[in-house]
Amino acid sequence: MAKLDIKTTVTAPTTINIPLVRADHAATSHTFRTCFEVALSIFSTLLGYVLGLQTTLQIHWVFLALMGAATLAFLILSVRAGRSSKVV
């Protein structure tokens, strides 16, 4: 095996700042993200179902509004928890 000696000069800063991620907030953000994706899939399914119906009942619109609100709420909670996990 060949051995090569190469003279090099390395310039580096004296300190390196590494931003830490709080694991408890990151796990909470992940949980909210999972709930957001589940709520979004149910909302999308309901929206397709309601749009495909000939006649819609009030209960369809109520469940659609509830799932839309849940989707929005979990999205906001996920974003807030994600941002707080990056704050040291």
Side-chain angles (χ1 to χ4, degrees), residues 48-57 60-61:
Y49 176 73
V50 168
L51 292 176
L53 289 176
Q54 294 292 331
T55 58
T56 57
L57 300 175
H60 296 120
W61 295 109

Side-chain angles (χ1 to χ4, degrees), residues 17-69:
N17 293 328
I18 300 172
L20 300 176
V21 176
R22 289 191 54 185
D24 55 343
H25 289 283
T28 303
S29 176
H30 178 69
T31 302
F32 287 144
R33 177 65 55 157
T34 303
C35 292
F36 163 72
E37 290 177 3
V38 169
L40 182 62
S41 65
I42 294 172
F43 174 75
S44 300
T45 303
L46 282 173
L47 182 64
Y49 176 73
V50 168
L51 292 176
L53 289 176
Q54 294 292 331
T55 58
T56 57
L57 300 175
Q58 186 176 4
I59 191 78
H60 296 120
W61 295 109
V62 168
F63 279 121
L64 191 63
L66 285 174
M67 290 314 300

